[in-house]
Amino acid sequence: MKVHGQCHCGAITYEAEVDPTVVNMCHCLDCQTLSGSAFRLNVLAPADTFRLLSGTPRQYIKTGANGAKRAHGFCEICGGPVYATDLGTPRTYTLRVGALAERDVLGPVRRQTWTRRRLKWLPKVDSPVECDMQP
């Protein structure tokens, strides 16, 4: 399915192809902190389908506890998140569902990751796959 996204102010616009049945709800501490919310909804787009239409995202390089580096693309004007991806030649872009025009049809959540970090007050969302990754 083709999706269209943009940052909050519209300076960055993009399109990509995604599988609408593979939406991930991530409960990791990074997603909670970077989104300012209890979790973040993501969907993967193959790199060869991701296309910037306007603007140039600024990148923040996050180094994980395991030493892996991820580039987080965001708008330098409004701060709106756009994607996360590997450094160098990425194979996929992890797109932020909330920034996509088609967000209402992306779902239901099929996978949850870092469920050990799920906030205790958050009602459990049924999904066929839960991944209890180590902190």
Side-chain angles (χ1 to χ4, degrees):
M1 148 182 208
K2 184 171 250 182
V3 294
H4 304 84
Q6 71 174 45
C7 64
H8 189 261
C9 73
I12 297 173
T13 60
Y14 53 96
E15 65 184 18
E17 291 284 336
V18 302
D19 179 346
T21 65
V22 186
V23 173
N24 180 53
M25 177 183 280
C26 185
H27 299 277
C28 80
L29 188 57
D30 285 343
C31 281
Q32 290 173 6
T33 304
L34 289 167
S35 71
S37 187
F39 55 84
R40 180 163 31 202
L41 293 178
N42 302 303
V43 64
L44 289 180
D48 62 349
T49 72
F50 179 79
R51 190 171 137 224
L52 280 170
L53 302 175
S54 66
T56 302
R58 185 158 186 176
Q59 291 191 343
Y60 162 65
I61 308 301
K62 165 72 172 86
T63 304
N66 64 356
K69 295 181 185 300
R70 297 276 293 163
H72 292 260
F74 63 95
C75 176
E76 67 181 345
I77 298 168
C78 68
V82 177
Y83 62 76
T85 193
D86 294 324
L87 298 179
T89 306
R91 291 182 306 206
T92 60
Y93 284 83
T94 305
L95 303 180
R96 307 329 188 184
V97 171
L100 299 174
E102 297 80 8
R103 62 186 158 270
D104 196 40
V105 295
L106 292 171
V109 172
R110 306 287 298 169
R111 184 172 187 249
Q112 293 184 67
T113 52
W114 293 94
T115 54
R116 290 183 188 197
R117 295 280 192 181
R118 181 188 298 124
L119 299 180
K120 292 176 182 23
W121 54 263
L122 186 66
K124 187 172 181 182
V125 175
D126 290 331
S127 70
V129 179
E130 285 194 19
C131 230
D132 285 327
M133 298 177 166
Q134 296 297 320

